[in-house]
Amino acid sequence: MDKRIAPLALVLLAALAVLTAVQAAETATAAPPTALVPIRNARVPLDGVLSGGQPTPEQIRAAAGAGYRTVINLRSEQETGYEWEAQLVEKLGMRYVHVPVAGAGGLTPENVERIDAALREAQQAGPVLFHCASGNRIGAVLALRAAWRQDVDAEQALQFGLDAGLTRLEGATRQLLGLPDPAATADEAR
């Protein structure tokens, strides 16, 4: 080997060793990926958070088996079909959090604050299953949380909510974010 190349080769090998060590350390401390449980409208809007519609008892069991530590439910007391959930979640050793959000009327700063606190605490414990009936309220709440609690631009917060499952509550969410309704804007342009 050329005597001029040997020092360069040693420097490159040392740099490669440092980069490999840094990458290994980052991988070791990274949060484990969120296992997808096939719930209705399943999304992973945040690290360690699986969101969507009402899971079945079998899906709750699968979530527990996949290492989920908390279930956060946004369904209101007026809704039915989930009365079994809290008992099953706790029986499986997970934490159950219920923050009722009754449609557009439940999209309040107080509820968003409660959900923000519940999510932050739950994410520290491990993966979270976050649901409502369809995933629509999840998207609305996450959009409002992004804007109100995390100072994300309103347009970006809305897009985040849409990506997270926001559908029928888009108009109400737009209004709460101070954004125009595209349908009303189109009517005004005519």
Side-chain angles (χ1 to χ4, degrees):
M1 182 180 278
D2 187 323
K3 290 183 180 188
R4 291 173 293 167
I5 296 176
L8 179 61
L10 288 174
V11 169
L12 289 175
L13 282 173
L16 181 62
V18 169
L19 286 173
T20 303
V22 167
Q23 184 179 21
E26 287 175 352
T27 302
T29 60
T34 305
L36 287 178
V37 175
I39 62 173
R40 180 177 171 205
N41 298 325
R43 306 257 190 346
V44 180
L46 303 165
D47 287 342
V49 177
L50 172 66
S51 70
Q54 176 64 52
T56 64
E58 294 76 24
Q59 291 164 337
I60 296 277
R61 287 185 190 91
Y68 283 80
R69 305 298 307 142
T70 305
V71 174
I72 301 175
N73 178 3
L74 299 188
R75 296 190 69 187
S76 71
E77 289 90 357
Q78 291 75 32
E79 295 176 81
T80 60
Y82 71 91
E83 299 81 7
W84 52 268
E85 187 174 344
Q87 184 177 2
L88 177 61
V89 166
E90 290 169 0
K91 177 182 172 189
L92 294 170
M94 295 185 291
R95 183 170 163 250
Y96 183 77
V97 179
H98 185 215
V99 181
V101 175
L107 298 177
T108 65
E110 296 80 17
N111 276 343
V112 171
E113 185 176 333
R114 290 176 57 208
I115 293 162
D116 177 57
L119 276 171
R120 283 185 289 113
E121 181 180 339
Q123 284 179 288
Q124 290 177 359
V128 180
L129 177 56
F130 184 33
H131 78 86
C132 58
S134 67
N136 177 41
R137 281 174 275 187
I138 299 296
V141 163
L142 289 178
L144 296 172
R145 176 184 186 243
W148 295 348
R149 307 288 299 163
Q150 299 168 328
D151 296 321
V152 173
D153 170 76
E155 287 285 348
Q156 291 176 327
L158 178 66
Q159 187 58 55
F160 178 64
L162 290 166
D163 293 343
L166 174 61
T167 56
R168 294 177 311 281
L169 290 172
E170 181 180 350
T173 304
R174 281 180 170 280
Q175 184 176 11
L176 290 164
L177 291 172
L179 296 172
D181 182 350
T185 306
D187 289 342
E188 290 170 7
R190 290 183 200 170

